[in-house]
Amino acid sequence: MKKFISKILVAAMVIGGNFFATAQAADKDAQTNEEIMAALQKSGGAVYPIGQPNTTYAKYFTGRSFLYPISNDGVQVANVTFEPSCINFWHIHHGSCQVLAGVSGKGYYQIWGEPARELLPGQSVTIPEGTKHWHGAQHDSWFQHISIMQDGATTKWLEPVNADDYKKLRR
């Protein structure tokens, strides 16, 4: 456990020192990186690159998302970018808790049995290992968060979030 905490602290230092990163390739059939970055700038700025389209896990998301790996040396650290109204399905992580740190835009997260909560830049939440949850963008905002988990963690994908429940979150 001490080793994992040390690696999280190193990952946090990497995150803190990467404020001037530039965008990577985006989905060529949709918006350009510049358009996405401009939309994020309107929501308070884009700190990390957008990364590549999240095609591997796209079937577990309600819209487009992008992944930019920051570190994978004992701790998995990635920037995840969600287009407006894109959220992921309910899921559970095994082998690690998951730390979510809001970076840009406006998002939500929800732990099973609890109300959905807003996640904004500068806010973070730790989802305990084995806890059913979801997270993603608000309806009218791009959203980026950093995901931090221990190497070797796995994800069990579950059912989609109820669309009517998500629609009720409109502000």
Side-chain angles (χ1 to χ4, degrees):
M1 183 56 125
K2 287 182 183 179
K3 187 175 181 181
F4 178 60
I5 292 170
S6 295
K7 289 183 179 190
I8 285 180
L9 292 174
V10 169
M13 288 188 290
V14 168
I15 290 167
N18 198 13
F19 278 84
F20 300 104
T22 58
Q24 302 296 314
D27 184 350
K28 299 298 181 198
D29 296 331
Q31 293 170 301
T32 66
N33 270 3
E34 291 78 23
E35 290 170 326
I36 294 169
M37 294 296 279
L40 284 165
Q41 289 293 344
K42 290 179 185 176
S43 298
V47 177
Y48 294 98
I50 297 160
Q52 300 296 319
N54 184 9
T55 55
T56 302
Y57 299 102
K59 64 184 176 184
Y60 304 114
F61 287 70
T62 62
R64 291 182 307 147
S65 65
F66 302 83
L67 292 176
Y68 177 75
I70 296 172
S71 174
N72 197 17
D73 185 21
V75 177
Q76 300 170 15
V77 182
N79 182 53
V80 184
T81 301
F82 299 82
E83 71 179 343
S85 295
C86 175
I87 61 173
N88 53 31
F89 289 16
W90 288 102
H91 60 284
I92 297 171
H93 298 292
H94 298 287
S96 180
C97 64
Q98 182 181 37
V99 177
L100 302 173
V103 178
S104 300
K106 299 181 290 184
Y108 295 117
Y109 74 93
Q110 185 175 13
I111 293 174
W112 185 258
E114 297 181 10
R117 293 185 168 86
E118 197 170 50
L119 186 58
L120 301 173
Q123 297 178 336
S124 65
V125 61
T126 300
I127 309 292
E129 179 182 358
T131 300
K132 186 175 178 177
H133 68 288
W134 66 265
H135 36 97
Q138 291 189 18
H139 305 291
D140 60 350
S141 177
W142 284 85
F143 178 59
Q144 290 183 312
H145 71 53
I146 301 298
S147 169
I148 305 170
M149 295 194 309
Q150 188 168 352
D151 264 353
T154 59
T155 302
K156 179 178 180 182
W157 292 101
L158 304 168
E159 72 276 9
V161 173
N162 181 289
D164 290 333
D165 290 343
Y166 177 74
K167 286 178 187 174
K168 291 177 187 174
L169 298 175
R170 284 195 191 271
R171 294 191 183 270

